[in-house]
Amino acid sequence: MNIMDFNVKKLAADAGTFLSRAVQFTEEKLGQAEKTELDAHLENLLSKAECTKIWTEKIMKQTEVLLQPNPNARIEEFVYEKLDRKAPSRVNNPELLGQYMIDAGTEFGPGTAYGNALIKCGETQKRIGTADRELIQTSALNFLTPLRNFIEGDYKTIAKERKLLQNKRLDLDAAKTRLKKAKTAEAKSSQLNSARPEGDNMSEQEVRITQSEFDRQAEITRLLLEGISSTHAHHLRCLNDFVEAQMTYYAQCYQYMLDLQKQLGSSFPSSYLCNNNHNAGTPVPSALPNVIGSSAMASTSGLVISSPNISDLKESSGSRKARVLYDYDAANSTELSLLADEVITVFSIIGMDSDWLMGERGNQKGKVPITYLELLN
């Protein structure tokens, strides 16, 4: 037998098997043939694997959108990944905004209030951009990659073995159908006192073989599917890593903005107003019990707390003792740094901004924000 004859016979056998499966599948759908049902445990494992695959894909894709909102950038990164090449480094949005602010502040003049504030904001935005870049890298390595490996690796293997199990089941049911037909023919032959057809024995042997192959494939598939529980445990660890990366990122951003708020609090003149009609004089803590000030913000809720003592102090040339409510870092040499709970002497100077007083501690003097003070009787 030459190779050509072997290939033709194999092709014919494969075509016959495919046709037999197609006929069996169609008859099952039409309710014209019986179907061997999988055991309940295996069905549950298959359902769990399919559910895991669907939700893993959704979580993975949405995480990619969260980390990289630009769809074009995601496509570019995907292409480079498939080509096994490193994607070119690009400036992210916070870094780009930060650079624009720094350039604008430099153009307006670092010595001006607006220019100085723009430069400080720009530097903070660039720090946030760096933190954002680190979040993306950490999340891609510790969270997205394991999820993608499951979809493109483990689940593909499961799907392949599941397809083989489906084919083995179709072969088994087709063999059972042929055996059933052979037994029907045997019954007719017995009525005519004929010998048992030889095809009957062949059909029974075929059923035994296909049943053995089906059972073996069911066991292989079951062992693979039982690994889904381990996959869940692994993805749980990856999820914890992702949460920790986000916690680090948001903590960094909060600290950067807190530092920026302190820097800007002393550099914004009172003439600059926020869009929500709050005074933008100084950085204000979220809670201000017993805080003094003729027009001080109490919190982001917009509550305004005032004290009659401030107007009296500003109209007089005297001085008063005041307790410091919160730490304050001086933004420049004209201001005085403060420590919570210390007591300093404060007084007003004619023409001074309404949100500030002069503070004195020993031989140190400088401007202090009134929202950080409580006048003492």
Side-chain angles (χ1 to χ4, degrees):
M1 180 185 298
N2 57 38
I3 297 178
M4 182 64 70
D5 291 338
F6 176 78
N7 289 339
V8 170
K9 289 183 178 180
K10 185 177 184 303
L11 181 63
D14 291 343
T17 301
F18 177 79
L19 181 61
S20 175
R21 291 169 179 169
V23 171
Q24 179 65 29
F25 183 79
T26 303
E27 290 179 347
E28 288 176 356
K29 290 296 183 181
L30 297 175
Q32 299 174 354
E34 295 182 2
K35 176 182 176 181
T36 299
E37 299 294 341
L38 303 177
D39 65 80
H41 178 60
L42 186 55
E43 286 284 7
N44 289 335
L45 289 176
L46 287 169
S47 176
K48 184 178 181 180
E50 182 67 20
C51 183
T52 300
K53 179 251 187 184
I54 292 173
W55 285 111
T56 299
E57 281 185 331
K58 289 184 177 181
I59 292 172
M60 182 180 69
K61 290 179 180 179
Q62 193 57 39
T63 303
E64 291 173 343
V65 173
L66 174 68
L67 297 176
Q68 178 50 268
N70 187 337
N72 294 328
R74 291 201 304 273
I75 293 174
E76 181 183 357
E77 291 172 358
F78 175 78
V79 171
Y80 275 99
E81 181 181 350
K82 291 302 179 183
L83 295 176
D84 197 21
R85 295 176 57 186
K86 184 178 180 181
S89 178
R90 65 172 63 88
V91 178
N92 58 31
N93 291 330
E95 290 174 332
L96 186 60
L97 174 61
Q99 191 59 54
Y100 286 164
M101 286 182 169
I102 292 174
D103 292 343
T106 303
E107 184 75 17
F108 297 150
T112 65
Y114 186 39
N116 183 43
L118 278 172
I119 292 175
K120 290 178 179 178
C121 288
E123 291 172 347
T124 299
Q125 290 296 331
K126 295 187 80 170
R127 292 192 189 100
I128 292 176
T130 301
D132 185 67
R133 193 183 299 278
E134 293 173 354
L135 171 65
I136 292 175
Q137 293 174 348
T138 303
S139 301
L141 179 63
N142 297 336
F143 186 59
L144 288 177
T145 298
L147 266 59
R148 187 177 293 110
N149 288 342
F150 167 73
I151 295 297
E152 298 180 355
D154 294 349
Y155 189 79
K156 280 190 174 181
T157 301
I158 291 174
K160 178 183 176 182
E161 297 301 328
R162 183 178 183 177
K163 179 64 176 177
L164 286 174
L165 179 63
Q166 170 79 342
N167 290 338
K168 296 300 181 182
R169 186 194 61 77
L170 290 172
D171 291 344
L172 172 60
D173 288 341
K176 288 179 178 179
T177 300
R178 285 190 289 271
L179 176 59
K180 185 177 181 181
K181 291 179 179 179
K183 287 185 176 181
T184 302
E186 179 187 5
K188 291 181 179 180
S189 299
S190 63
Q191 293 176 358
L192 299 174
N193 297 321
S194 301
R196 184 180 182 183
E198 183 180 350
D200 193 0
N201 293 330
M202 294 179 60
S203 297
E204 289 179 350
Q205 183 180 5
E206 182 184 14
V207 170
R208 287 194 297 270
I209 293 174
T210 53
Q211 181 71 59
S212 175
E213 291 178 349
F214 169 76
D215 292 340
R216 179 176 177 274
Q217 185 59 39
E219 182 64 15
I220 293 173
T221 307
R222 182 186 64 79
L223 291 174
L224 282 173
L225 292 171
E226 287 178 346
I228 291 294
S229 296
S230 298
T231 298
H232 283 195
H234 178 51
H235 287 181
L236 174 59
R237 293 192 294 271
C238 297
L239 180 62
N240 287 331
D241 291 340
F242 179 53
V243 171
E244 288 182 5
Q246 284 186 304
M247 287 175 59
T248 300
Y249 169 71
Y250 289 120
Q252 287 178 323
C253 292
Y254 174 77
Q255 188 60 50
Y256 293 153
M257 298 309 297
L258 194 63
D259 294 341
L260 176 62
Q261 186 187 42
K262 290 180 180 179
Q263 294 178 44
L264 296 183
S266 58
S267 59
F268 277 161
S270 60
S271 58
Y272 289 96
L273 298 178
C274 298
N275 292 334
N276 59 2
N277 296 325
H278 293 329
N279 289 337
T282 60
V284 183
S286 58
L288 298 177
N290 303 322
V291 175
I292 62 172
S294 58
S295 61
M297 289 190 304
S299 67
T300 55
S301 64
L303 178 64
V304 177
I305 299 177
S306 62
S307 169
N309 295 331
I310 278 296
S311 58
D312 295 341
L313 180 60
K314 286 187 172 293
E315 291 173 359
S316 68
S317 58
S319 62
R320 293 281 297 276
K321 293 291 184 180
R323 183 174 67 88
V324 178
L325 297 174
Y326 314 98
D327 291 345
Y328 178 72
D329 294 328
N332 52 54
S333 59
T334 66
E335 298 176 11
L336 183 65
S337 294
L338 304 173
L339 295 176
D341 294 326
E342 70 172 324
V343 177
I344 63 173
T345 301
V346 293
F347 55 92
S348 178
I349 298 178
I350 297 177
M352 178 176 255
D353 193 300
S354 61
D355 292 327
W356 296 82
L357 290 171
M358 287 300 295
E360 184 176 21
R361 183 203 304 115
N363 59 357
Q364 295 179 331
K365 291 184 179 180
K367 295 193 301 180
V368 292
I370 61 175
T371 52
Y372 281 64
L373 304 172
E374 177 188 15
L375 286 184
L376 301 177
N377 294 326

